[in-house]
Amino acid sequence: RIRRLDLRVTKQVRLTPRLRMQGNLDVYNVFNGGSAVQINNAYGPQWRQPTEVQDPRILQFSAQLNF
């Protein structure tokens, strides 16, 4: 089970009566959890070693212009 929190903050601004702009801030993996997603279960020197972990914390800025 993967527990991860993603957030989005949005702000809309009216520039003219027909022109609007929407700005977004996305934050993925807010708490920066590093849980193992997959573990090697084959017996040997790499037994019980994680082979895949969660993605790191990522910030993304974006904007949309509507006219």
Side-chain angles (χ1 to χ4, degrees):
R1 176 177 292 178
I2 297 174
R3 294 184 182 175
R4 165 178 152 167
L5 179 64
D6 299 335
L7 293 177
R8 171 177 268 193
V9 177
T10 301
K11 175 70 176 178
Q12 292 186 357
V13 177
R14 185 173 295 274
L15 302 173
T16 67
R18 294 188 57 186
L19 187 63
R20 292 179 308 193
M21 184 176 77
Q22 176 179 323
N24 300 313
L25 169 65
D26 297 313
V27 183
Y28 301 100
N29 197 6
V30 173
F31 300 122
N32 204 22
S35 301
V37 176
Q38 234 175 15
I39 296 174
N40 184 5
N41 288 322
Y43 186 72
Q46 298 295 320
W47 183 59
R48 302 289 294 162
Q49 293 293 317
T51 56
E52 184 180 351
V53 295
Q54 285 185 0
D55 294 330
R57 183 182 303 139
I58 299 173
L59 296 174
Q60 178 180 351
F61 299 98
S62 62
Q64 179 178 343
L65 194 60
N66 297 318
F67 54 94

